[in-house]
Amino acid sequence: MAFDDWLADTEDLVRLGSGRLPGLGGPAKTAAWTIWHQSEMPGLGNGDPASGSLLQRDSTDDGGLQSASVASEVNGVAKERRDQEGSMVNGGATAHDPLRNGHPPVEAATTKSTAMDPSGAPFGDEPPPEIEHLTDGYQSMSTLIDRLVQETFNELREVIEHMAEDTAPRQPPTKAHAGVNGSGDDSSANAQKKMRLMKFLQDRRAQFIKTMVLTQWSTQTEEVGRVIDLKIWLDRQRALYDEVWLWLAELKRSLGPAKMPNPDIRTALEALSTGKASSLPDLGYIPPKPLTPQRMLKELRNINVLLSIRLNLHDTVPEPFKNFTIKSGRATFRVPDEYEVDLSIADEDPASQFFFIDIRFAFTPRPADFPTGRLRDALEMKVNNVLQTQSLAGCYRFLHEFVLSHKMNILRRQAVGMCSEKWSQSIRLESVHRTLIVQYWLGTVRRKSWIEVGVTSGRTKDGSTGHTTEATSRIGVRWFPEAKQADATVISLNLAHLSMESILKHVIALHTTRIFSSIHARLSEAKLYADGALHLEQIRSTTEPWDCQLRIQLTSSTTATLLVEPITGRFALLPASALYNGAEMELNGLRDPAADAARRLCNLRCFSVVDETDTRARCIDLEPWKTLNPRQEDLRRIFPRDTSRVSCFRRRGWRSNWVVAMSISMAGEVWWILEVLHAPIGYKIGDFQRIPLTSTTGKVIDPSYDFLSRLSMAAASMVAHYTNVRTLCKMGVHYRLRPSGLNVHTTHNIPTLLIHFYSLMGRLGIRQWKQWARETLKVTCQSVLLASGQVVMVVEARLMEPVPHFDLAVGRVDEEVVFHPKTGAFAFRLVTAVGEPTIEKLIERLQRVGRLICFVEIIRKFRLKCETISLGRIRFQYSHEPSLRTELVFVGGVPMNLLFPPGNPHLRIQDLLISVLQSDGGLERVTVLLGVTLPLLVAFDDAERTHDGDNIFVLPRTAEWYQLRYHRPRSAFDIRMRQRRDDVRWHVRDDTDAADKQRSPSFFEAIAAFMDESGDGWMSLRTGVAATSKGVADVVRSIDQLVRDHAGSSLRVETDAATTTAAGAPDELHPQPQPQPQPVPD
């Protein structure tokens, strides 16, 4: 039975099983397999042991009927069909034919065919098996309802809690709608709560409706379960039918090789008739006779001659094959950087073809020998076919294309290896025909860059082939840096040594050089690099990207090296630092670094200058002011237009409104002094002045410690002069600025201020003021104090006339003022905060200098001994016996003071002398008074030491008038200095009240007698005594002696007077007896 007929019968059986036999669908595949093998395959009929194994083949997944029973049923149906059609199987007989192979005729068989199961029972007597009932995944209706109720309760509680949290204060209804039905709270919070409640009720209603539908269906649980089971059973049956068709198709395909081919009648006839067959190969069972070496050498020489004659006379050798050699019976053609091929001939006929012998590659990497096997056999056959049809030209073209393809495969394999090594995540490969596309620098934000290495046709854009008559393909490259095609002629491919990594490095080096060249060109336009003040150098390389560098000098001491990492394409700055890390991030974030990187590097230079200057400025107490943010209009008004950054500095000791500013640009750094004023919003800049700096080396100025120190002094000097000039202008004083220089690699032009002396001091309105110095005052800035930041200014002037004998002050004047006695020149220092005007201090200091000169003149006049002289104090000795000293203090802004050491007699009248000192000509008067009053004050001190308690009292009324009082006896003496012409006299008179009853008559008579006498240095004036400055001391001592002599009698007189007073007083309560008078002793 043919397979096609059997397949048709099987299809009928399948249709019959699917339409009429409900239990046949599951094992249909096993039934079909069994029927065919029992009817067609030899050895698998009835009683064959193998048939049993086949009948026990795969059963269905859902536990259906076994294969044996289904096969029996199918066999019965098939047999019934064949009987109806009149066909016979294995000799089956009809009613008219005899028995064949023991089968009875049809009439002998039962009229009704009944399928039997393996046990012998017919299928018709039992019902079909029950369909499997599935219960997995079922849930009870009560559980569903319980969960729904619990979920509803939980959500209702959450809704109520949220509504309680969103409660807003209720607003009273308006009068217009107070009585309207349904009026209430219409706030947005109330509306939201209503919406929340309505949404909850709608959701729950939908859930309960679904539950109601399920409850109604639950009354028909049995019918619904049967429908579900039937649906699952039908799906499984349908899957089994689909599986049968697939299995039958696979079986048909797998039985194809089992068919026996038809016999080759033609070859058989040729072999039987002629004894050989042309199509059969010669197996070489009979080896030929071996060739001797002489014969082999002779044959090879003959072949060499034939090859030479043929290649030189008959064949047309293509241009690439012109380089050939003939040796050992073969012609070796060499194509540079590609291959060497050995060809030979097998016939003397010049028209016969060449044959392929061997091929060797002329590039690396390459195998030592061409691999043998199928590849070599296929190549040899193809080359021989080409040599037969196209001769040498075709052989060259074929081998040329073969070698180019092989080279591209090598490059592709190397590129794939690079993707799994250090170049991973940095390159992307794409292969199109014989073209390899490599995209590099994947991790950057820049536009795509790639190269295309592939086989080109050799034709130009216009279709011409150049100088050759035929276009020759070659390996070429196209380059697209930043998604723009560039000239690929700069890329040189080394086709003799293939290396994809070398090609990629070569391209990356060219790309890096391209970027650096653009940056170098843009930076070279800046003035600093164009003039050579800063160094800029580009190092090029075409093979190694790491050797491509751009060295940029940022400051005088800092040089940065810009690199591009070959693998990642990211920029790197060396040496590494925190400042360079930020610049690297900016550079790596650029879309077009060739156009924008130069600006970022200019910013980096500005930041480098700021960082270097800030670091060094802090070491000399120049503190950067980071928070200063002036208005933009001020910045545009003051600084140049190309300024990139402004950095401001403050120094301790400076006024807060004065700062030093540095404007940074690609033209260099410019230093300024700025006056910063407070504005309603931020700060504004008032006055400003550029600090003139010039470089003597032609290079950029190095912000070294020495430079910053000198710059600080220059700025302090300019600020000091500026504030002084502004004050002089307000005062109307004449002045002039004279420039001066200070050179140490840079020049700071610090001016000198010249002030007109009379214009300055003559406006003070001092009475009887006389100009004592010449017209010009020279004010220069000497230094800046590091500790306080204050500026030290030196004022130089010259006296109108040198003071004679001024050398008495030499060596005793402190460091604040210096005098030159011969020339009359003097100088003094002024220390003030930077930004604070010094004109007032200058005027005060000049006044003190003038006062000092006047005082020295007076001291010299009275021939006093000066011990210390300064602009604020003079200490001199005014008495030798005893040795007495005083100190005159005349600090500016404070009244003059006179100081005496402890124990000095003049401490008694110190305040009086100070008041005299502060008057016109006070020092001269004080000097006279010190000498005139000294004996008197010494006598007062001696008298006070001789009395106990408070018996004596000295009352100084002025420095020239004193009163001497005693208690016992009660007396008073008036001592006053009188001057007549140039003579000074002290007048002493008794100032006691004459009606004083406590004064004894004897003491009165003694004083009167003393006043009538004269002595050494004093004389009587009837009413008193006139004495010299030395004689007055003797007068005081004499009076004191008289007082001490009559002190006892005075005590008795006082006692009697007290008793008399007490007796005369009325006593109303207790009258006392009158005391008896006592005699007074003489």
Side-chain angles (χ1 to χ4, degrees):
M1 182 179 181
F3 182 80
D4 295 338
D5 297 335
W6 175 87
L7 184 59
D9 295 341
T10 304
E11 293 175 355
D12 294 338
L13 289 175
V14 171
R15 287 193 297 272
L16 179 61
S18 61
R20 299 179 182 178
L21 298 178
L24 189 60
K29 177 174 70 175
T30 306
W33 175 275
T34 305
I35 293 170
W36 185 79
H37 278 279
Q38 287 182 351
S39 59
E40 291 295 329
M41 295 190 67
L44 295 178
N46 296 331
D48 194 342
S51 63
S53 61
L54 290 174
L55 290 176
Q56 300 300 324
R57 193 174 168 85
D58 182 30
S59 61
T60 60
D61 298 334
D62 55 351
L65 299 177
Q66 296 182 356
S67 301
S69 61
V70 176
S72 300
E73 182 179 357
V74 174
N75 287 335
V77 175
K79 180 178 180 182
E80 180 180 357
R81 181 182 178 187
R82 284 193 297 270
D83 291 341
Q84 294 174 358
E85 294 177 356
S87 59
M88 294 182 296
V89 181
N90 289 338
T94 63
H96 306 285
D97 294 332
L99 295 175
R100 294 183 181 180
N101 293 337
H103 284 272
V106 177
E107 290 81 358
T110 59
T111 57
K112 182 178 180 180
S113 177
T114 304
M116 304 292 290
D117 61 0
S119 62
F123 278 120
D125 296 341
E126 294 182 1
E130 291 292 336
I131 298 177
E132 181 182 6
H133 180 61
L134 302 177
T135 60
D136 296 339
Y138 280 37
Q139 298 290 340
S140 64
M141 192 65 188
S142 60
T143 303
L144 178 62
I145 295 175
D146 290 343
R147 293 180 179 176
L148 179 60
V149 171
Q150 183 65 33
E151 182 182 3
T152 303
F153 175 75
N154 294 337
E155 291 187 3
L156 178 60
R157 184 173 59 183
E158 292 178 0
V159 169
I160 293 174
E161 291 176 354
H162 284 295
M163 292 173 63
E165 293 176 357
D166 296 342
T167 301
R170 182 180 180 87
Q171 299 178 356
T174 59
K175 295 181 179 181
H177 302 281
V180 179
N181 186 20
S183 63
D185 187 7
D186 56 352
S187 63
S188 59
N190 190 30
Q192 291 180 0
K193 291 192 290 183
K194 292 178 180 179
M195 291 299 296
R196 186 189 300 273
L197 182 60
M198 289 300 297
K199 185 177 184 302
F200 165 74
L201 294 176
Q202 289 179 357
D203 295 343
R204 292 296 93 194
R205 180 176 179 274
Q207 294 295 331
F208 277 101
I209 290 174
K210 294 179 182 179
T211 307
M212 183 184 68
V213 174
L214 292 177
T215 305
Q216 293 176 357
W217 275 95
S218 65
T219 59
Q220 302 175 1
T221 306
E222 184 177 356
E223 289 78 1
V224 174
R226 290 178 181 177
V227 172
I228 295 174
D229 296 341
L230 182 60
K231 173 66 169 57
I232 296 175
W233 182 83
L234 288 175
D235 292 340
R236 291 177 177 177
Q237 296 302 315
R238 186 179 295 107
L240 289 174
Y241 290 145
D242 295 339
E243 186 179 355
V244 167
W245 285 112
L246 295 176
W247 180 81
L248 289 176
E250 180 64 25
L251 179 63
K252 182 178 181 181
R253 285 192 296 268
S254 62
L255 291 178
K259 293 182 179 181
M260 181 178 293
N262 296 327
D264 190 0
I265 303 301
R266 180 179 301 176
T267 304
L269 291 175
E270 182 181 2
L272 293 174
S273 60
T274 61
K276 61 180 181 179
S278 59
S279 60
L280 295 178
D282 186 6
L283 301 180
Y285 292 135
I286 303 176
K289 295 181 180 180
L291 295 176
T292 61
Q294 293 78 10
R295 179 66 182 273
M296 293 175 59
L297 181 59
K298 181 179 179 181
E299 293 296 335
L300 291 177
R301 287 176 177 175
N302 291 336
I303 294 174
N304 292 341
V305 173
L306 293 175
L307 286 174
S308 177
I309 294 173
R310 183 169 176 175
L311 292 176
N312 288 288
L313 299 178
H314 299 284
D315 289 331
T316 301
V317 180
E319 187 67 26
F321 273 7
K322 292 296 184 178
N323 182 17
F324 65 88
T325 58
I326 300 174
K327 186 179 181 181
S328 299
R330 64 183 66 183
T332 302
F333 299 92
R334 295 180 177 85
V335 181
D337 299 338
E338 291 190 11
Y339 60 87
E340 296 180 0
V341 61
D342 296 338
L343 303 179
S344 186
I345 56 176
D347 197 344
E348 297 181 358
D349 187 4
S352 63
Q353 76 168 77
F354 286 91
F355 290 94
F356 174 81
I357 303 299
D358 195 7
I359 187 173
R360 294 172 298 279
F361 293 129
F363 56 88
T364 57
R366 65 172 182 268
D369 296 319
F370 196 86
T372 59
R374 294 181 57 185
L375 177 61
R376 181 183 178 85
D377 296 340
L379 178 63
E380 182 177 354
M381 182 177 63
K382 182 64 178 177
V383 173
N384 289 332
N385 292 337
V386 171
L387 287 172
Q388 183 179 3
T389 57
Q390 303 177 19
S391 188
L392 294 178
C395 177
Y396 163 72
R397 287 193 298 270
F398 172 75
L399 291 179
H400 175 69
E401 297 295 332
F402 172 75
V403 169
L404 293 183
S405 300
H406 181 54
K407 285 185 175 182
M408 290 305 305
N409 288 333
I410 293 175
L411 294 177
R412 186 180 298 107
R413 186 170 62 253
Q414 291 176 351
V416 172
M418 291 168 60
C419 290
S420 60
E421 296 175 355
K422 63 181 180 179
W423 293 85
S424 62
Q425 307 298 325
S426 298
I427 60 174
R428 180 181 297 156
L429 306 180
E430 184 178 352
S431 180
V432 181
H433 301 297
R434 289 196 295 175
T435 300
L436 178 63
I437 302 174
V438 182
Q439 180 185 350
Y440 55 93
W441 292 353
L442 295 180
T444 61
V445 299
R446 302 190 286 271
R447 290 186 291 270
K448 295 181 180 180
S449 300
W450 71 89
I451 57 171
E452 298 178 1
V453 182
V455 179
T456 63
S457 62
R459 297 184 180 89
T460 59
K461 292 184 178 180
D462 56 358
S464 62
T465 60
H467 300 288
T468 60
T469 58
E470 185 178 358
T472 302
S473 59
R474 58 182 178 83
I475 294 180
V477 62
R478 292 200 304 171
W479 182 26
F480 294 85
E482 312 294 340
K484 296 180 182 179
Q485 186 172 1
D487 184 14
T489 57
V490 297
I491 303 176
S492 59
L493 296 179
N494 188 359
L495 299 179
H497 303 281
L498 298 179
S499 175
M500 191 65 218
E501 185 173 7
S502 299
I503 295 175
L504 189 58
K505 283 186 176 181
H506 175 44
V507 172
I508 291 176
L510 293 176
H511 195 168
T512 303
T513 303
R514 180 190 182 97
I515 295 175
F516 286 172
S517 298
S518 177
I519 298 174
H520 184 275
R522 295 176 184 273
L523 290 178
S524 299
E525 297 175 358
K527 181 176 177 59
L528 287 175
Y529 297 107
D531 296 344
L534 291 177
H535 181 66
L536 181 64
E537 179 185 6
Q538 180 184 2
I539 301 177
R540 303 171 182 264
S541 177
T542 58
T543 57
E544 181 55 50
W546 281 114
D547 295 338
C548 298
Q549 300 177 2
L550 184 62
R551 295 180 180 176
I552 309 169
Q553 185 181 3
L554 303 178
T555 64
S556 59
S557 59
T558 304
T559 300
T561 302
L562 181 62
L563 304 173
V564 174
E565 297 179 2
I567 297 178
T568 62
R570 297 179 61 85
F571 287 97
L573 284 169
L574 298 179
S577 65
L579 182 62
Y580 291 173
N581 289 340
E584 288 179 6
M585 294 179 62
E586 291 186 2
L587 291 174
N588 292 322
L590 295 177
R591 185 73 173 173
D592 187 6
D596 302 332
R599 182 158 49 88
R600 296 299 190 277
L601 292 174
C602 292
N603 294 337
L604 175 61
R605 182 195 170 271
C606 295
F607 285 116
S608 299
V609 172
V610 171
D611 182 68
E612 184 177 12
T613 306
D614 289 355
T615 303
R616 297 179 180 179
R618 287 189 178 95
C619 298
I620 61 170
D621 286 341
L622 277 176
E623 189 65 26
W625 192 354
K626 299 294 185 180
T627 58
L628 179 61
N629 187 17
R631 298 182 300 182
Q632 292 297 323
E633 53 269 21
D634 290 339
L635 297 178
R636 290 191 293 267
R637 174 173 58 91
I638 298 172
F639 302 111
R641 298 184 59 183
D642 58 348
T643 300
S644 301
R645 186 177 176 85
V646 177
S647 183
C648 298
F649 302 90
R650 292 185 299 181
R651 182 162 186 170
R652 183 176 55 187
W654 289 24
R655 293 284 294 272
S656 59
N657 60 327
W658 286 98
V659 298
V660 177
M662 176 181 62
S663 61
I664 308 169
S665 65
M666 294 307 293
E669 289 74 58
V670 181
W671 292 86
W672 308 76
I673 53 173
L674 306 178
E675 184 181 18
V676 180
L677 305 176
H678 288 279
I681 300 177
Y683 298 91
K684 66 177 182 179
I685 298 177
D687 295 330
F688 63 93
Q689 185 67 35
R690 178 174 177 176
I691 302 176
L693 303 175
T694 56
S695 176
T696 59
T697 60
K699 299 294 183 180
V700 69
I701 299 176
D702 181 19
S704 60
Y705 298 108
D706 181 68
F707 167 79
L708 293 176
S709 299
R710 294 178 177 272
L711 176 70
S712 176
M713 186 182 70
S717 303
M718 293 185 65
V719 172
H721 286 328
Y722 187 83
T723 54
N724 291 334
V725 166
R726 188 162 57 181
T727 304
L728 292 175
C729 291
K730 293 179 181 179
M731 297 174 59
V733 178
H734 301 293
Y735 69 92
R736 182 167 60 89
L737 288 173
R738 185 178 66 187
S740 60
L742 178 64
N743 275 317
V744 176
H745 302 296
T746 58
T747 301
H748 307 277
N749 294 321
I750 304 175
T752 300
L753 179 61
L754 304 178
I755 304 175
H756 192 267
F757 179 78
Y758 180 80
S759 178
L760 178 66
M761 301 299 294
R763 297 177 179 271
L764 300 180
I766 302 176
R767 291 180 302 172
Q768 299 179 357
W769 182 82
K770 180 182 178 181
Q771 183 174 349
W772 49 270
R774 296 188 180 182
E775 294 295 335
T776 303
L777 290 175
K778 181 180 179 183
V779 182
T780 58
C781 293
Q782 183 183 34
S783 63
V784 177
L785 300 180
L786 297 178
S788 60
Q790 295 177 316
V791 61
V792 179
M793 306 184 72
V794 177
V795 180
E796 301 178 30
R798 188 183 297 272
L799 299 176
M800 294 293 293
E801 295 180 0
V803 180
H805 306 289
F806 196 71
D807 55 347
L808 60 88
V810 176
R812 289 186 285 271
V813 181
D814 64 359
E815 59 182 4
E816 290 186 356
V817 60
V818 177
F819 290 93
H820 194 279
K822 294 183 179 179
T823 62
F826 67 93
F828 57 85
R829 297 190 307 169
L830 293 176
V831 180
T832 182
V834 177
E836 181 180 347
T838 59
I839 299 301
E840 294 182 359
K841 292 183 179 181
L842 174 61
I843 294 174
E844 186 269 337
R845 188 65 61 86
L846 289 174
Q847 288 178 343
R848 290 164 59 186
V849 171
R851 191 180 298 120
L852 174 64
I853 295 173
C854 179
F855 291 169
V856 170
E857 290 264 359
I858 294 173
I859 292 173
R860 183 185 60 81
K861 177 180 179 181
F862 288 95
R863 298 187 179 277
L864 301 179
K865 181 180 180 182
C866 252
E867 295 182 352
T868 302
I869 297 178
S870 68
L871 291 180
R873 72 182 59 232
I874 299 176
R875 185 178 181 184
F876 58 92
Q877 182 179 3
Y878 61 89
S879 174
H880 297 282
E881 291 295 337
S883 179
L884 298 177
R885 295 173 178 82
T886 186
E887 187 171 355
L888 179 62
V889 180
F890 44 96
V891 180
V894 179
M896 290 187 293
N897 195 8
L898 198 61
L899 303 178
F900 295 96
N904 193 298
H906 284 91
L907 282 174
R908 188 184 304 274
I909 60 171
Q910 180 179 10
D911 295 337
L912 300 175
L913 291 176
I914 291 174
S915 63
V916 174
L917 180 65
Q918 294 175 358
S919 61
D920 294 340
L923 180 60
E924 186 173 359
R925 292 181 57 195
V926 167
T927 306
V928 173
L929 288 174
L930 287 175
V932 172
T933 59
L934 178 60
L936 178 61
L937 296 177
V938 171
F940 286 156
D941 292 342
D942 295 340
E944 289 178 346
R945 285 193 292 268
T946 59
H947 290 270
D948 295 332
D950 55 352
N951 187 42
I952 185 172
F953 179 73
V954 178
L955 177 61
R957 295 183 181 276
T958 64
E960 302 170 356
W961 183 12
Y962 304 88
Q963 194 172 44
L964 180 62
R965 292 184 179 183
Y966 295 92
H967 292 289
R968 295 181 303 272
R970 187 182 299 274
S971 57
F973 301 94
D974 188 70
I975 306 172
R976 182 177 295 185
M977 185 177 68
R978 303 290 183 179
Q979 183 175 2
R980 186 176 180 182
R981 297 183 182 90
D982 294 335
D983 188 17
V984 177
R985 289 283 188 263
W986 288 97
H987 288 195
V988 182
R989 66 182 181 85
D990 184 8
D991 197 30
T992 308
D993 187 6
D996 193 354
K997 296 180 180 181
Q998 296 182 5
R999 187 174 185 183
S1000 63
S1002 60
F1003 178 68
F1004 178 78
E1005 292 175 357
I1007 292 300
F1010 177 76
M1011 293 298 177
D1012 291 336
E1013 297 179 2
S1014 298
D1016 187 12
W1018 55 277
M1019 59 181 294
S1020 176
L1021 297 176
R1022 288 189 223 176
T1023 59
V1025 175
T1028 62
S1029 60
K1030 293 182 180 180
V1032 71
D1034 296 335
V1035 172
V1036 171
R1037 292 187 183 96
S1038 299
I1039 293 174
D1040 183 69
Q1041 184 64 36
L1042 290 174
V1043 171
R1044 284 188 284 108
D1045 293 342
H1046 292 82
S1049 61
S1050 175
L1051 180 60
R1052 289 192 296 271
V1053 171
E1054 291 178 0
T1055 303
D1056 294 341
T1059 303
T1060 303
T1061 303
D1067 191 354
E1068 298 179 357
L1069 295 179
H1070 302 283
Q1072 298 292 333
Q1074 294 296 329
Q1076 298 296 325
Q1078 299 293 330
V1080 178
D1082 294 334

